[in-house]
Amino acid sequence: MYIDTHAHIFRANESAAKVVRYVPNYDASAKEYLANLKAFNFSYGVLIQPSFLGVDNSYLLNALENDNLRGVVVINPNNMNDLMHEKVCGLRLNLIGKDKPDFNDYKDVLAYLKESKKHIELHKELDKLLLVIEDLAKYDVKIMIDHLARPSKDTFKLLDEFSNFKDLDIYFKVSGFYRLDDDLAFSKDVFDKLKDIFSIKRFVYGSDWPHTNYENLINYEKAFNDFCFVAGEHKDIILKDNAKELFFI
C-alpha cells in the first residue's frame, strides 16, 4: 500500500491569498491526481492546500469525498472549522518569504492538534525553519517538514542543528528534490544526513504533483523515480508504513 503524502489540486488562474508568489494557468484536478495514483500503484494520496489559495480550502475539502484522499489545510488561527474535518489530518503553514508566526495566536489550534493527533506542517527555508521549530518545541505537537527542510548547498551544514530536536515528534517529506538546487545527488546527501539523525520511520514520500513552477522539468513518473534514487534501500518503508498513522489511513 503506497501512500503519496504531498500533492495539490486547483483551478486555473484562481487565487485567494493576499500575496501570491505564483498562480498556475492550468487545472490540476482530483480526477487527474487519482489517475496518477492508480498508474503508479498508490493506494492513498494527501492533498496539501497550495499557498495561492490561502485559507479557502473548499476545493480541497470537496475532493475528500473520495475515500482514497486525505487533506492538510491552511486556516486562520481563529477559525478551526476546516481543520476539524474528519479527513483532514494536519495544518500547513506556508512560510516561504514570510515572517515567523507568533504561536501565541495559535494556542487553541496547537492544543487541538495535540489532542486530535493531527500535525502541523512547515514549509520554510532551512535557515529560518530552525527558529520556527524552536518556538513550536514547547507545544508537544507532531511536526511535518516539507521538502527535506529546503536546504541549499550554502545552508547544508545547518542540518546538523536538527540534532537538537531529536526528542521532538518530527517528520520529513522526501519530496521536491528539484527545489533543492536542482541537484538530485545533493538531495540524496540531504536525506542521508537527516537519516543519520532521525529514525528512518520519520520519513514519508511526497510527489509534489503537479510540481508548480517546475512543470516543464518534472512529471509524476520522474518524481517517483527520483525518490527511488534518493531513498535507495529505504524506499518501501517510506512508501508504505511510515505515513499510515500520520495521515489517518
Side-chain angles (χ1 to χ4, degrees), residues 4 16 20 28 36 38 42 58 80-82 109 113 116 120 123 150 154 164 171 194 198-199 211 222 224 231-232 240:
D4 177 2
V20 297
N36 278 315
K38 183 177 181 180
F42 281 82
S58 55
M80 290 193 287
N81 289 343
D82 290 350
V109 174
L113 292 177
S116 63
I120 187 166
H123 188 208
R150 292 290 298 254
D154 290 336
N164 299 322
Y171 302 83
L194 291 169
F198 294 93
S199 163
H211 327 292
K222 179 169 170 47
F224 181 69
K240 296 178 180 178

Side-chain angles (χ1 to χ4, degrees), residues 18-32:
K18 293 180 180 179
V19 179
V20 297
R21 294 179 289 116
Y22 171 76
V23 179
N25 60 1
Y26 61 91
D27 290 339
S29 69
K31 182 178 179 180
E32 291 174 276

Side-chain angles (χ1 to χ4, degrees), residues 174-186:
V174 189
S175 62
F177 311 121
Y178 38 90
R179 303 183 190 275
L180 276 63
D181 280 353
D182 194 23
D183 184 337
L184 198 57
F186 174 63

Side-chain angles (χ1 to χ4, degrees), residues 141-160:
V141 293
K142 293 180 180 180
I143 300 171
M144 178 67 69
I145 308 298
D146 279 355
H147 307 324
L148 289 172
R150 292 290 298 254
S152 67
K153 292 176 180 176
D154 290 336
T155 61
F156 178 80
K157 290 184 178 179
L158 289 176
L159 292 172
D160 290 330

Side-chain angles (χ1 to χ4, degrees), residues 118-163:
K118 299 185 179 186
H119 66 267
I120 187 166
E121 192 165 302
L122 304 176
H123 188 208
K124 187 66 173 168
E125 306 90 340
L126 174 60
D127 55 334
K128 301 179 180 67
L129 172 66
L130 294 164
L131 298 174
V132 178
I133 296 173
E134 284 181 4
D135 280 2
L136 274 174
K138 65 181 179 182
Y139 293 99
D140 191 26
V141 293
K142 293 180 180 180
I143 300 171
M144 178 67 69
I145 308 298
D146 279 355
H147 307 324
L148 289 172
R150 292 290 298 254
S152 67
K153 292 176 180 176
D154 290 336
T155 61
F156 178 80
K157 290 184 178 179
L158 289 176
L159 292 172
D160 290 330
E161 295 192 22
F162 274 107
S163 297

Side-chain angles (χ1 to χ4, degrees), residues 24-248:
N25 60 1
Y26 61 91
D27 290 339
S29 69
K31 182 178 179 180
E32 291 174 276
Y33 177 54
L34 288 163
N36 278 315
L37 292 180
K38 183 177 181 180
F40 290 89
N41 298 313
F42 281 82
S43 301
Y44 292 90
V46 182
L47 300 176
I48 311 297
Q49 175 76 342
S51 59
F52 51 83
L53 290 182
V55 298
D56 181 0
N57 300 289
S58 55
Y59 193 55
L60 182 156
L61 294 175
N62 286 337
L64 299 186
E65 293 178 4
N66 187 291
D67 288 339
N68 298 92
L69 298 177
R70 302 292 185 268
V72 173
V73 298
V74 175
I75 64 168
N76 288 319
N78 59 352
N79 185 348
M80 290 193 287
N81 289 343
D82 290 350
L83 184 58
M84 298 173 76
H85 187 289
E86 63 178 351
K87 288 187 180 177
V88 165
C89 41
L91 163 69
R92 193 187 199 205
L93 297 185
N94 294 301
L95 300 175
I96 296 292
K98 296 182 180 179
D99 294 335
K100 181 164 62 76
D102 182 351
F103 286 113
N104 286 321
D105 297 334
Y106 285 82
K107 285 183 178 179
D108 290 343
V109 174
L110 293 166
Y112 170 75
L113 292 177
K114 181 178 179 178
E115 180 184 1
S116 63
K117 298 183 180 180
K118 299 185 179 186
H119 66 267
I120 187 166
E121 192 165 302
L122 304 176
H123 188 208
K124 187 66 173 168
E125 306 90 340
L126 174 60
D127 55 334
K128 301 179 180 67
L129 172 66
L130 294 164
L131 298 174
V132 178
I133 296 173
E134 284 181 4
D135 280 2
L136 274 174
K138 65 181 179 182
Y139 293 99
D140 191 26
V141 293
K142 293 180 180 180
I143 300 171
M144 178 67 69
I145 308 298
D146 279 355
H147 307 324
L148 289 172
R150 292 290 298 254
S152 67
K153 292 176 180 176
D154 290 336
T155 61
F156 178 80
K157 290 184 178 179
L158 289 176
L159 292 172
D160 290 330
E161 295 192 22
F162 274 107
S163 297
N164 299 322
F165 304 131
K166 288 180 69 173
D167 294 334
L168 296 184
D169 205 1
I170 192 167
Y171 302 83
F172 297 87
K173 288 186 181 175
V174 189
S175 62
F177 311 121
Y178 38 90
R179 303 183 190 275
L180 276 63
D181 280 353
D182 194 23
D183 184 337
L184 198 57
F186 174 63
S187 296
K188 183 167 180 57
D189 289 342
V190 173
F191 170 71
D192 288 343
K193 169 69 78 172
L194 291 169
K195 177 173 61 66
D196 287 343
I197 299 172
F198 294 93
S199 163
I200 192 61
K201 294 181 179 180
R202 299 299 187 93
F203 297 87
V204 297
Y205 168 69
S207 66
D208 199 27
W209 185 86
H211 327 292
T212 54
N213 261 336
Y214 295 85
E215 295 90 346
N216 295 329
L217 300 177
I218 194 95
N219 56 33
Y220 203 95
E221 180 177 14
K222 179 169 170 47
F224 181 69
N225 289 339
D226 287 353
F227 160 76
C228 292
F229 169 80
V230 170
E233 65 188 67
H234 305 289
K235 178 187 78 170
D236 281 346
I237 189 172
I238 294 174
L239 285 170
K240 296 178 180 178
D241 294 335
N242 288 0
K244 288 181 182 178
E245 183 178 349
L246 283 164
F247 296 95
F248 299 172

